[in-house]
Amino acid sequence: MKFSISEENYLKQIYLLQQDTGTVSTNNLAKELQAKPASVTDMLKKLREKKMVHYEPYKAFNLTEKGNRTAVHIVRRHRLWEFFLSEKLGFEWEQVHDIAEELEHVSSDTLITRLDDFLGNPRFDPHGDPIPDSSGKIYRQRQVSLSTLALNSPQSVSGVGDQSTAILELLNHYGIAIGVKVEVTRRFDFDGSLELQIGKKRHLLSHAVAKNIFVQYAQ
């Protein structure tokens, strides 16, 4: 089944939003897509006709099994392109998202399979998000927020929650990236900020930044 770029964007965003609660509201979807609620409603009706969403007016909704499979493959394409742009073309991690937003709509299965093989079948994109495999299976790693990490417990950065350009540029400034070893050496009760050791350098991070950095979970 063929989908327009707009339909694919909706399916992907619904998929991402429903990860937390299992359902999505029209207002939340409109906010994320920067669209008018009336436009969102019209699109949801179209997607319902294509059996992509379980939707009833004025109620929370989610993807059907068919819609979920379609969305996962869109996410797969997006994250593979992000990996390619970062690892093969040298783009910074704050630059790859917008470009991948365009490339993800090139839906050739042969192209994506060859891209995946060319990249060595990576499991995670440059931001630490899992890349679904060709069957839609997703490998999820165990991780915890840096804001809750025990003191003096060195761990590797495995993901970033807020992936806005602003915070990614800030993390670049601190030398924080996926795979970098970090250690919380002190935590301040006043505002939740913490002192972070990276190599031989120490940085002071706010709680707002720390809670968006995830590290590999280790007992």
Side-chain angles (χ1 to χ4, degrees):
M1 182 180 293
K2 293 290 184 180
F3 297 95
S4 67
I5 290 177
S6 182
E7 287 173 333
E8 288 193 345
N9 287 337
Y10 270 77
L11 289 171
K12 184 182 69 172
Q13 195 59 60
I14 295 170
Y15 171 82
L16 295 174
L17 286 173
Q18 72 180 27
Q19 297 306 298
D20 292 332
T21 62
T23 58
V24 182
S25 72
T26 301
N27 287 338
N28 284 344
L29 184 56
K31 179 180 178 181
E32 290 296 324
L33 293 172
Q34 297 182 341
K36 295 180 179 179
S39 298
V40 172
T41 299
D42 289 342
M43 177 59 76
L44 289 173
K45 291 177 180 178
K46 292 179 182 178
L47 293 175
R48 182 178 60 188
E49 291 175 1
K50 293 186 175 183
K51 303 186 185 305
M52 293 289 112
V53 294
H54 297 295
Y55 170 72
E56 293 182 33
Y58 311 111
K59 293 184 179 180
F61 56 88
N62 58 12
L63 296 173
T64 62
E65 183 178 344
K66 183 178 179 181
N68 195 74
R69 287 198 306 269
T70 302
V72 166
H73 283 292
I74 298 168
V75 169
R76 166 176 162 79
R77 299 195 303 255
H78 180 96
R79 293 177 180 174
L80 280 172
W81 283 121
E82 285 196 337
F83 190 94
F84 171 77
L85 292 165
S86 175
E87 297 297 318
K88 300 301 180 180
L89 297 187
F91 283 88
E92 298 291 343
W93 65 349
E94 73 271 16
Q95 299 174 319
V96 299
H97 178 76
D98 288 344
I99 303 173
E101 282 284 296
E102 298 181 32
L103 293 172
E104 71 184 32
H105 301 296
V106 180
S107 58
S108 167
D109 291 337
T110 301
L111 172 62
I112 298 305
T113 297
R114 292 188 180 184
L115 176 64
D116 193 12
D117 291 340
F118 172 70
L119 296 174
N121 310 115
R123 284 184 168 179
F124 301 97
D125 73 10
H127 310 108
D129 291 325
I131 300 174
D133 66 16
S134 58
S135 64
K137 182 178 179 180
I138 298 175
Y139 177 83
R140 299 190 184 279
Q141 55 188 339
R142 301 180 70 186
Q143 54 186 15
V144 296
S145 169
L146 193 62
S147 63
T148 63
L149 183 65
L151 295 180
N152 306 310
S153 175
Q155 302 294 340
S156 296
V157 175
S158 58
V160 182
D162 181 348
Q163 296 174 10
S164 64
T165 299
I167 194 169
L168 293 178
E169 287 179 341
L170 178 63
L171 297 185
N172 273 343
H173 176 74
Y174 287 130
I176 298 173
I178 303 301
V180 169
K181 187 81 74 174
V182 297
E183 179 181 357
V184 178
T185 55
R186 189 174 180 184
R187 185 171 282 107
F188 298 91
D189 292 335
F190 175 71
D191 60 359
S193 60
L194 51 83
E195 184 180 67
L196 190 67
Q197 180 90 32
I198 305 175
K200 295 182 179 180
K201 295 183 178 181
R202 293 195 177 188
H203 304 282
L204 185 66
L205 264 65
S206 68
H207 176 72
V209 173
K211 72 179 183 179
N212 277 291
I213 302 172
F214 294 89
V215 297
Q216 293 177 349
Y217 175 80
Q219 292 181 318

